[in-house]
Amino acid sequence: MMVTMTDDLTAVDPTHLDAALRIALDTLAAGNKPFGAVLVAADGRVLATGRNTVAQTGDPTAHAELDAVRAVASADRSAVVGGTMYASGEPCPMCAAALVWSGVARIVFGTAAADIRAVAPGPPGFTLRCADVVAASDARIDVVGPLLGDEGLEPFRHHAASR
């Protein structure tokens, strides 16, 4: 599976978004909803990857974006500042707020939360979009997405069919 370029992407975005989608697919084997994330520093270094482990751990906050931020925060939180979070699915309000507080400069996501809920309903969710959470803050963060269309929904269709 490969992410295709659109006008909204930079030259390196497809590689990192594709990696987030691959991580999301890997989470299916453990029974988790297929969310994956890649956190990239402003200088282009991959700082961490994250995966949804809610089903495995029972922790409702074990989201992919938080997993990636937590992996870096304990070692070098300053590396996150100015970086980009690539997420297979649109970050929820909790994750969007955490990304604001972590200092990322960009959030790039593959699939809109509303589209995910349409194919794989789950526990209660929000209609508040990632961009709305960011806009309600005093941070300057670019939010780009959704970018994957049907390709990004495929893991959620598999997850819904396996339940």
Side-chain angles (χ1 to χ4, degrees):
M1 154 174 341
M2 188 63 184
V3 176
T4 55
M5 288 287 287
T6 74
D7 292 339
D8 293 330
L9 298 176
T10 67
V12 298
D13 288 347
T15 299
H16 297 307
L17 197 53
D18 185 58
L21 188 56
R22 289 179 187 279
I23 293 165
L25 288 167
D26 289 344
T27 67
L28 285 170
N32 294 295
K33 273 191 135 177
F35 289 98
V38 177
L39 181 56
V40 177
D43 66 8
R45 290 176 297 132
V46 173
L47 297 171
T49 60
R51 60 194 69 242
N52 175 15
T53 59
V54 171
Q56 283 172 276
T57 64
D59 178 357
T61 68
H63 292 197
E65 300 90 342
L66 293 181
D67 187 37
V69 169
R70 286 176 182 144
V72 176
S74 60
D76 184 10
R77 186 194 171 289
S78 64
V80 177
V81 176
T84 300
M85 175 61 75
Y86 295 90
S88 59
E90 182 175 5
C92 72
M94 174 183 67
C95 291
L99 294 173
V100 167
W101 290 321
S102 72
V104 300
R106 285 178 81 223
I107 300 169
V108 179
F109 67 92
T111 307
D115 294 337
I116 292 168
R117 281 191 304 278
V119 300
F126 292 86
T127 57
L128 187 62
R129 307 268 331 252
C130 175
D132 297 333
V133 173
V134 170
S137 77
D138 59 1
R140 290 188 46 88
I141 300 173
D142 292 328
V143 178
V144 181
L147 298 172
L148 292 178
D150 205 46
E151 179 183 14
L153 286 172
E154 198 55 35
F156 294 97
R157 287 188 183 101
H158 288 295
H159 177 71
S162 69
R163 291 194 278 166

